[in-house]
Amino acid sequence: MKKISIRMRLTLLSVLLLTVCCTGLTIILNFSANRMADVLEAVPLTPAKEVSEKAEELSFPLIPIDSSKTSQAARNQFQYQSIFYMAVVIVVGGGLTYYLTGTSLKPLQILSSQMKNRTVHNLSDELKVPESADEIADLTISFNQMSKKLDEAFVMQRQFSQNAAHELRTPLAVLKTKVDVFKKKQEHTKEEYDKLLSVLTAHTDRLSELVKELLDLTNMDEISCEEHIELKQLVLDVVKELEPFSIKKKIDILVEGEKTSVLGNRNLLHRVFYNLVENAIKYNIEKGAVKIFVLEEGQQGLVVIEDTGIGIPDEMKSLIFQPFFRVDKSRSRQMGGAGLGLAIVKAIIEKHYGQINVLPNPEGGTIFRVLV
Ligand code: ADP
């Protein structure tokens, strides 16, 4: 039954239903007709003498008599005819069901053939939604929505691969040029060796950091988030670790708020706040400030990180969480960033069922709001 088409399945079901109903009806009809014929053929028994004064109240019993040949033939004919018409009704009913289901399922067939023609290259083309407001129109709308999401995912994936390849190619190209130039000369001083080695080390470090970040971004599924974490303490630890950078840039960091306990993964959350505070220092002005507030919000923890830095233009606030996105490419690259930091932060926050967004700040600078 599983391999039969819906059209054939509906036809077989209706034939089965018709057969059951018609057979029942034919049996009842034949039974009633036979009884009626019996009654018509029976003769009343007349009493030989008066029984009593109340004789008129007495009914005379009917005596069945053997049916005659003509009557028997009529009964048989009725039987054959009823069976014949029953078969006709079943066959015609089955045929009609086959035809009607075929017509009703036609739009589904058209939709199915259009779906078969879908490839990675035409995912953004929308299928025409039938004007009937039925299930097929619903199905077409759902298919169009799914197709659009798939197209967006493909575009993002393609962009991600292109960006990753570009990021990996840049340090590799620098390495190759340096080595080629080095090879051209026969004799080298110790300083030249040291210089080449330090360039090689810096670029291979950058490459391995990039590969590690790319792996982190895709390998977050199996990490558990069940540890009890004191959020304010975690932020204080991060600030302490980043002290050498903040001192170097003469940036004041203030942490305020209350003890806030959350469930999560310590290493991942450490990474979130390390990234955000590091950015708040990195994109800040000399002698700037960073203020961090840690609060409880319902069952979750709320951390607000505010800096007095260069800020993020409004139209770019939604883009900064995309992998490899940098507001000022050359400036960020000079600072060693590949634009993966905030993408990783967002992935971690989503893994903790939290939220991260950039709040408007008319005074300049950037405010990140993290709910975790
Ligand atoms: P990067 O490694 O380049 O810092 P991120 O993903 O951490 O990458 O940040 C993406 C971009 O968002 C940065 O290149 C920078 O332009 C911008 N950005 C992030 N944080 C801040 C901030 N606190 N102030 C200003 N710009 C920021």
Side-chain angles (χ1 to χ4, degrees), residues 307-322:
D307 67 53
T308 53
I310 53 174
I312 300 169
D314 280 346
E315 66 278 11
M316 295 195 176
K317 281 181 179 159
S318 59
L319 304 173
I320 53 168
F321 298 103
Q322 287 179 10

Side-chain angles (χ1 to χ4, degrees), residues 279 282-283 307 311-312 320 325-327 332 337-342 366:
N279 278 351
K282 217 160 68 169
Y283 299 105
D307 67 53
I312 300 169
I320 53 168
F325 183 86
R326 284 163 293 202
V327 175
S332 297
L340 282 174
L342 287 181
T366 307

Side-chain angles (χ1 to χ4, degrees), residues 32 81 100 106 112 115 120 189 204 220 234 245 251 298 317 346 351 354 360:
S32 309
Q81 274 181 355
L100 291 175
K106 190 100 194 138
S112 152
M115 284 177 179
V120 201
T189 62
T204 44
M220 238 173 258
L234 184 79
F245 303 105
I251 287 172
K317 281 181 179 159
K346 187 156 193 248
K351 189 170 169 57

Side-chain angles (χ1 to χ4, degrees), residues 8-159:
M8 208 56 207
R9 226 183 290 174
L10 285 174
T11 309
L12 287 179
L13 279 175
S14 79
V15 167
L16 188 74
L17 203 70
L18 276 173
T19 312
V20 171
C21 295
C22 290
T23 314
L25 202 67
T26 312
I27 291 171
I28 293 168
L29 273 179
N30 274 287
F31 181 73
S32 309
N34 270 333
R35 289 243 352 214
M36 209 161 81
D38 284 348
V39 171
L40 288 176
E41 283 174 8
V43 286
L45 180 69
T46 323
K49 55 174 179 152
E50 259 182 44
V51 184
S52 75
E53 316 85 68
K54 291 184 182 170
E56 66 275 8
E57 285 176 20
L58 293 170
S59 61
F60 302 115
L62 295 174
I63 300 194
I65 57 156
D66 286 342
S67 50
S68 64
K69 270 193 172 173
T70 11
S71 147
Q72 193 55 49
R75 284 169 195 250
N76 288 345
Q77 195 188 8
F78 184 84
Q79 252 177 28
Y80 295 140
Q81 274 181 355
S82 61
I83 291 171
F84 171 74
Y85 287 122
M86 177 186 96
V88 170
V89 169
I90 293 172
V91 170
V92 172
L96 268 176
T97 315
Y98 187 76
Y99 171 74
L100 291 175
T101 45
T103 329
S104 324
L105 292 174
K106 190 100 194 138
L108 202 61
Q109 264 177 358
I110 297 172
L111 183 65
S112 152
S113 68
Q114 283 176 325
M115 284 177 179
K116 278 183 197 147
N117 292 335
R118 277 285 123 148
T119 63
V120 201
H121 309 291
N122 61 4
L123 278 174
S124 57
D125 300 348
E126 288 205 345
L127 293 185
K128 193 172 174 292
V129 180
E131 273 163 26
S132 55
D134 57 6
E135 287 85 349
I136 294 168
D138 272 356
L139 190 65
T140 316
I141 294 172
S142 307
F143 180 79
N144 280 342
Q145 286 169 349
M146 188 196 72
S147 196
K148 192 169 167 231
K149 280 185 196 153
L150 270 178
D151 185 48
E152 284 166 6
F154 269 115
V155 170
M156 268 176 72
Q157 201 191 33
R158 212 173 300 141
Q159 212 167 6

Side-chain angles (χ1 to χ4, degrees), residues 280-297:
I281 300 170
K282 217 160 68 169
Y283 299 105
N284 214 323
I285 49 166
E286 198 96 355
K287 295 186 186 162
V290 178
K291 280 187 203 154
I292 306 170
F293 304 93
V294 185
L295 308 160
E296 242 176 48
E297 179 136 318

